[in-house]
Amino acid sequence: MEAFKMTDNVMGFRFGNPVETGVIQGEKTQVEVNLPIELREEGGKTTFTLKLTENDRVYGLGPNLGGINKRGRIYESYCTDDPLHHEDKTTLYGAHNFFVLEDDDVATGFFIDFPGRVKYDVGFTTLEELQVEIHGQDFGIYLLEGASIKEIVASFHKLTGKPYMPPKWGLGYFQSRWGYQTEKDVKKVYETFKEEEIPLDGIYLDLDYMEDFKDFTLSEERFPNFKDMALKMKEEGVRLIPIIDAGVKIEEGYPVYEEGIKGDHFVKDAEGKPYVAAVWPGKVHFPDFLKEETQKWFGDQYKILTDAGIEGVWNDMNEPAIFYDETSLQEGVEAAILAQGGNLNVNAFFSLRDKFMNIGNKLEYYRRFFHEIGDRRLTNEEVHNLYGYMMTKSASMGLRKHLGKRHVLISRASSIGMHRYGGLWTGDNSSWWSHLSLNLRMLPALNMSGFYYVGADTGGFGGHVSGELLTRWLQLSVFTPLLRNHSALGTRVQEPYAFGEDLTRANKKHIERRYMLIPYLYSEMLKTYETGGMMFTPLAFEFFGEEAQQAEDQMLLGEELMLAPVVSQNAKGRYVYLPEDMVLVDFKKYDSSLTLLKDGVQYVSYTLEDLKFFLRRNRLLPYTMPSQTVKDQDLSVLKVLGYVDTEAVYVLYDDDGESFGYEQGKIYKTTLYARKLENGGMRVEAKSNHPDLQTVNFTLMDGTGEIWNEEVKVQRG
Ligand code: MIG
C-alpha cells in the first residue's frame, strides 16, 4: 500500500498495481499513513464496511435508481445496457464510484478508483452497514474530509478536473426519435416545428441515417442529401446530431473495418484474434478505446461527419452492449437442434429458453475479450467501466481537432473521468411517472460526479407516453442543461405537438420559457467550469433538518431557484416544503407573477400550462425573451426577476458560445445588483463587459411583497 496526500483534506491510498484510469488530477505527495478503514480480502475481492448511524445519509453514486439518499438498496458500478429500469435493478449505464457519507456534524467523501465491478450495499442487507465490495485487489481509495458535503464535492471536482462544456446551442431544445427513418421524416419534423413556431436547435439522428448500421457511413438511399440538409438546417440554427455505436461492422471493403484490422485497433479474444460480437450491424469488432493510438484513430473517423456539417454526436452502445457472441449463439443453436422433436421437461425447456432469452450482455462475454495495457492483458470485465469513458475521450479529441470549435457530445455509458470529455443522457428510461421523479433525483448525483451536461429522455424512451406525462416532464426538463425529447421505435409519437391543440400550446410555452432561461442556465454551466460544485443541489445539502432531508421531490438550481415539479398523475398542484421564505414565480413571457410565501409547507396549484418555481431570498434571476433558436437570442435587453429583502447580486457569465476561449477565462461578466434602501427605495445597477448588453429591466419583490419595476442602462466595465 502507498499513501498520498493530495491536499489538506484529501488522502489517496493505492493498493497493488491499479490500472491507470486518468481520473485523478494533480500532484501526489507520498506520506506514511494507514488507511483508517479495515480492508478484507477474499476470493480476489476486497471489501470494507462503514457503520451507519440512524442519522447518516449517503449521497452520490451517479446515475442510479433509488433516492437522493442512497440508503436501503444495493448498487453496482458496472456499465450495463438494460432498457428496463425496474425498481429492483442494481446497475444502469454509468459506474460512478463517488459517494459521501454525512451526519449532522461531518461529511466524508469516498472515491474508489477502480475500473472493474464495485458493489455497494447501502444498508440493505444490514440496516446500519454500508458494505463496499471491490472486485479486485488493485485499486485506489481516496478519502475526502470536510465540514459539509458541498465542501467535499468542490474538492472532489478539483481532484478530478474541469467538466466538458457544450457550445451554447447545446442548451437549446432537441427533438429525437428512434424512428425518423428518412430525410423526409426529419424534414417533416423540422418543418412542423417551424409551422408551430416551437423553438428548436437540433434533431437527433438514430441508426437509420447509416448504411447498414455502419459507423461513419451515410445512407444513400434514405439520406441522399445528407450534407446539404445538414448545412441548410444549420444556417437556420438547427443542427443534426447523429448517433455513433461502439461496434464496427465486419465487412470487407468497409474502410473503418479494414483500417481497424490493419492498425490492430480491435479488442482480441483469448487466441489473439479480433473478438467477434454481434450488435446492430450483425457481427462486429470493438475498437480497443483503452489504447491511445486507437482513440486517435477512431476520433479521426468523426471527420467524415464534421465534413458533412455535423457539430454534435451521441455515442451509444458503449458499455459495450452485446446482443450475442459467436460462442453463445452456437451453444444455443446446438441445444435447439438437440431438442428438436423432443418432449422437453421443465428444466430442459427453461434451460433452452434461457439460452436465447438471456443471450444479450452476458457476463461471460466480457471475460472473453481482452485489452492490452502496457505489458498487461486484462479481460474487459476487469476494466469494463473505462470503455464508454475512453470512447467519449476519443470522440472528444477527434471532434475538437476536426471542428476547431466546441461540439455537443453525449454518451450512454459513463464513469467519472469522462465528465471532462462529454455529457450524458441517462439511457433507456420509460414513459413512467416514476421515471420522471427518478430523473429529478439523479441530477444532483450526476453533478457530484462532475457531470453537468445531462438530461433524461424527456417523455420517456420505452412505452407509450400520455400527453399529460410529456408536459409534466417538460416542466422539469426545461431546467436541465440537456433538453432532449427522445422515444423508442414502435412507441406512441412524442413530439411536443403530437397531443392536440391545448397541450401543443402548453408545450410550446414551456420550450419558449426554456429559451428565456438559457442566459441563466448557460451562466451556471460556465460557473461550474470555473469553480466546480453543484448546479442541482438537494435541499439537504443547503438546509438543516429532517424536512429538508426528506424533500427528495424538490431541488435547488444554482443559488437562486428552488424547483418543485409535479411528478404525479392527475395532479392539479402539490405541497411544497419551503425551508425559508421564498417568492413563487409563475413564469411567463410577459408579466410573470410573483407571490411571497412564508416558510413551511405550502400548497401550490400547478396546471399543465404553468411553469412555476421559487426564487430564494436576496437572489436575482436574469432571463431574456424567447427566440426560435439559440443563435437568434437577443441579449441587448436583459430581464431580471428578483426577491430583494435587503441586497442581492448575481454575476451573469456568458461568452461567444462556441470557442474554447472560456478555458483561458475569456468570459463576459455582467454584475446585476439590487438593494433595498433605508428610505424605502430600491436601487439597481448593472455593469458589464458584454458587447451586446445595453439595458436591464428589473422586476423585484421586496420583503413586504411590494413590486419594483426598474430599468437601467448598463455601465461598461
Ligand atoms: O439497442 O439506436 O439508448 O437511445 O434510440 C438500442 C437505437 C440502441 C439505445 C439507445 C437509444 C437508441 C437505441 N439504442
Side-chain angles (χ1 to χ4, degrees):
M1 197 270 299
E2 281 172 42
F4 306 96
K5 192 177 168 125
M6 305 296 299
T7 68
D8 276 353
N9 301 321
V10 182
M11 292 289 301
F13 303 88
R14 189 171 185 268
F15 295 87
N17 180 20
V19 170
E20 182 49 68
T21 60
V23 180
I24 299 296
Q25 314 272 291
E27 292 285 306
K28 299 178 175 167
T29 319
Q30 206 157 338
V31 286
E32 296 284 320
V33 218
N34 279 325
L35 181 72
I37 301 167
E38 188 198 331
L39 299 182
R40 299 181 300 277
E41 272 173 32
E42 216 193 298
K45 294 176 188 163
T46 311
T47 60
F48 65 89
T49 303
L50 303 170
K51 280 273 163 234
L52 296 175
T53 66
E54 206 186 317
N55 227 343
D56 286 341
R57 283 90 56 190
V58 179
Y59 297 109
L61 297 180
N64 256 308
L65 296 173
I68 294 177
N69 181 352
K70 305 315 282 184
R71 283 186 77 156
R73 301 178 59 98
I74 291 176
Y75 308 87
E76 286 179 274
S77 283
Y78 189 80
C79 300
T80 303
D81 167 29
D82 183 338
L84 268 185
H85 309 169
H86 286 301
E87 276 204 27
D88 54 1
K89 298 292 167 73
T90 56
T91 61
L92 297 179
Y93 311 88
H96 297 209
N97 294 309
F98 176 57
F99 65 94
V100 179
L101 181 63
E102 186 190 45
D103 68 16
D104 290 338
D105 302 315
V106 288
T108 315
F110 296 81
F111 173 62
I112 317 247
D113 193 8
F114 179 68
R117 186 185 296 262
V118 185
K119 186 172 161 191
Y120 301 88
D121 181 333
V122 192
F124 174 78
T125 305
T126 308
L127 193 62
E128 57 286 322
E129 280 182 8
L130 192 169
Q131 294 160 12
V132 180
E133 184 183 270
I134 303 166
H135 285 215
Q137 284 156 317
D138 305 295
F139 53 84
I141 296 185
Y142 290 81
L143 296 184
L144 300 91
E145 299 287 341
S148 71
I149 189 164
K150 284 172 76 176
E151 218 179 282
I152 287 176
V153 170
S155 58
F156 184 62
H157 290 167
K158 282 216 182 74
L159 195 67
T160 52
K162 304 233 177 231
Y164 156 78
M165 200 53 58
K168 200 179 202 177
W169 63 265
L171 271 73
Y173 175 84
F174 295 138
Q175 188 57 51
S176 181
R177 178 169 171 83
W178 179 15
Y180 300 152
Q181 290 182 352
T182 61
E183 218 164 87
K184 230 173 101 201
D185 291 347
V186 173
K187 276 207 183 114
K188 179 94 197 296
V189 172
Y190 169 70
E191 270 151 21
T192 315
F193 272 83
K194 266 191 130 166
E195 265 160 43
E196 299 282 349
E197 295 177 349
I198 301 174
L200 179 72
D201 262 79
I203 299 177
Y204 274 64
L205 299 180
D206 213 317
L207 297 164
D208 296 307
Y209 81 89
M210 295 183 211
E211 191 69 58
D212 295 332
F213 308 114
K214 285 185 288 194
D215 281 340
F216 310 111
T217 64
L218 307 172
S219 165
E220 284 283 337
E221 188 194 326
R222 290 181 306 279
F223 287 80
N225 309 299
F226 187 98
K227 182 172 178 181
D228 228 42
M229 177 167 76
L231 292 176
K232 274 208 190 106
M233 281 174 52
K234 188 158 75 173
E235 261 170 46
E236 305 282 311
V238 180
R239 265 101 172 158
L240 293 179
I241 302 154
I243 195 169
I244 288 292
D245 279 4
V248 171
K249 185 175 169 71
I250 299 175
E251 185 182 278
E252 296 299 327
Y254 165 41
V256 186
Y257 162 74
E258 291 195 339
E259 280 176 29
I261 292 287
K262 231 203 275 120
D264 192 21
H265 289 304
F266 297 125
V267 296
K268 312 253 171 56
D269 64 17
E271 287 159 22
K273 294 199 301 266
Y275 175 70
V276 181
V279 209
W280 286 101
K283 289 186 183 174
V284 299
H285 293 320
F286 290 121
D288 190 350
F289 290 114
L290 278 58
K291 291 202 300 203
E292 245 171 72
E293 314 85 81
T294 303
Q295 285 171 14
K296 234 186 120 283
W297 165 72
F298 197 85
D300 280 337
Q301 305 296 323
Y302 287 84
K303 183 168 189 299
I304 290 168
L305 298 175
T306 56
D307 282 349
I310 295 306
E311 300 185 10
V313 178
W314 47 316
N315 281 344
D316 191 20
M317 305 294 276
N318 51 1
E319 293 71 26
I322 296 177
F323 289 174
Y324 63 85
D325 88 354
E326 286 194 308
T327 314
S328 284
L329 183 66
Q330 201 50 39
E331 278 169 16
V333 169
E334 275 162 21
I337 289 169
L338 269 179
Q340 198 174 23
N343 180 359
L344 299 184
N345 69 19
V346 167
N347 289 341
F349 165 69
F350 282 114
S351 147
L352 180 63
R353 191 196 64 167
D354 285 349
K355 288 211 156 53
F356 293 97
M357 290 263 293
N358 298 321
I359 198 167
N361 304 321
K362 278 192 190 177
L363 188 55
E364 60 205 62
Y365 301 161
Y366 303 94
R367 294 177 176 155
R368 284 187 196 143
F369 67 93
F370 299 83
H371 298 272
E372 281 149 40
I373 300 170
D375 51 9
R376 286 154 95 184
R377 189 163 160 268
L378 298 169
T379 62
N380 176 268
E381 188 190 13
E382 293 169 282
V383 290
H384 186 73
N385 298 328
L386 291 177
Y387 196 78
Y389 162 14
M390 293 302 164
M391 178 181 185
T392 306
K393 181 177 176 190
S394 154
S396 152
M397 295 189 319
L399 288 166
R400 185 168 178 151
K401 175 169 148 197
H402 296 294
L403 209 54
K405 58 178 172 177
R406 274 143 72 191
H407 51 265
V408 159
L409 175 58
I410 57 174
S411 169
R412 191 172 70 176
S414 66
S415 59
I416 296 176
M418 195 191 94
H419 67 286
R420 299 199 298 268
Y421 304 104
L424 60 82
W425 85 103
T426 57
D428 298 347
N429 61 1
S430 300
S431 298
W432 299 341
W433 287 89
S434 62
H435 280 183
L436 168 54
S437 48
L438 177 65
N439 182 184
L440 181 69
R441 293 196 304 273
M442 273 187 190
L443 293 168
L446 285 163
N447 286 178
M448 286 175 72
S449 300
F451 288 86
Y452 302 98
Y453 191 59
V454 298
D457 286 354
T458 295
F461 175 74
H464 303 301
V465 74
S466 69
E468 183 196 6
L469 177 57
L470 175 66
T471 300
R472 289 299 188 196
W473 211 314
L474 278 169
Q475 287 171 330
L476 168 64
S477 291
V478 294
F479 297 102
T480 62
L482 169 66
L483 166 55
R484 184 180 75 140
N485 173 334
H486 179 55
S487 53
L489 195 66
T491 60
R492 183 177 181 186
V493 291
Q494 196 168 297
E495 291 81 18
Y497 46 74
F499 301 88
E501 239 172 75
D502 289 355
L503 289 178
T504 302
R505 190 177 59 245
N507 295 341
K508 174 178 165 173
K509 282 186 181 169
H510 294 319
I511 296 169
E512 285 177 349
R513 290 159 179 156
R514 153 60 168 235
Y515 278 69
M516 294 166 72
L517 291 167
I518 284 177
Y520 175 68
L521 296 171
Y522 189 63
S523 169
E524 291 300 303
M525 290 283 289
L526 283 171
K527 283 182 188 175
T528 63
Y529 185 82
E530 202 168 270
T531 56
M534 308 286 288
M535 187 166 166
F536 291 94
T537 313
L539 270 59
F541 291 18
E542 185 84 13
F543 299 100
F544 283 111
E546 202 172 305
E547 290 97 329
Q549 285 163 22
Q550 298 300 302
E552 294 210 341
D553 58 352
Q554 298 176 209
M555 193 68 61
L556 302 168
L557 169 53
E559 295 192 334
E560 284 62 39
L561 308 185
M562 182 175 81
L563 312 179
V566 166
V567 293
S568 52
Q569 194 159 29
N570 297 323
K572 298 203 160 130
R574 53 163 293 171
Y575 288 93
V576 180
Y577 169 65
L578 301 173
E580 56 186 17
D581 295 359
M582 291 186 184
V583 165
L584 169 65
V585 180
D586 184 356
F587 193 54
K588 300 204 174 100
K589 192 153 145 191
Y590 306 105
D591 300 322
S592 296
S593 78
L594 306 181
T595 315
L596 187 57
L597 294 180
K598 284 273 154 227
D599 66 346
V601 175
Q602 299 273 1
Y603 180 80
V604 174
S605 71
Y606 199 147
T607 69
L608 291 169
E609 281 211 17
D610 294 338
L611 188 70
K612 290 189 172 178
F613 52 83
F614 301 83
L615 247 175
R616 293 174 65 189
R617 185 172 162 271
N618 289 329
R619 302 293 154 85
L620 304 172
L621 169 70
Y623 68 96
T624 186
M625 291 308 276
S627 55
Q628 290 303 297
T629 64
V630 168
K631 110 179 149 39
D632 292 332
Q633 282 215 324
D634 173 12
L635 285 182
S636 63
V637 180
L638 197 66
K639 314 232 169 202
V640 175
L641 292 175
Y643 169 22
V644 184
D645 189 19
T646 53
E647 185 176 39
V649 186
Y650 183 78
V651 182
L652 179 77
Y653 281 35
D654 195 16
D655 69 351
D656 60 27
E658 59 172 28
S659 79
F660 290 97
Y662 69 95
E663 291 174 351
Q664 273 79 49
K666 283 192 189 140
I667 286 178
Y668 306 130
K669 293 186 183 174
T670 304
T671 305
L672 304 163
Y673 177 78
R675 187 153 73 96
K676 191 76 200 295
L677 302 172
E678 308 262 300
N679 65 14
M682 182 72 79
R683 192 171 128 199
V684 293
E685 276 173 30
K687 204 180 200 170
S688 179
N689 61 358
H690 197 297
D692 302 341
L693 188 59
Q694 306 298 330
T695 317
V696 182
N697 285 313
F698 290 84
T699 301
L700 308 174
M701 178 164 272
D702 69 17
T704 68
E706 193 178 333
I707 300 255
W708 300 77
N709 287 304
E710 309 281 340
E711 181 175 296
V712 291
K713 288 265 158 270
V714 173
Q715 296 169 282
R716 296 281 114 201

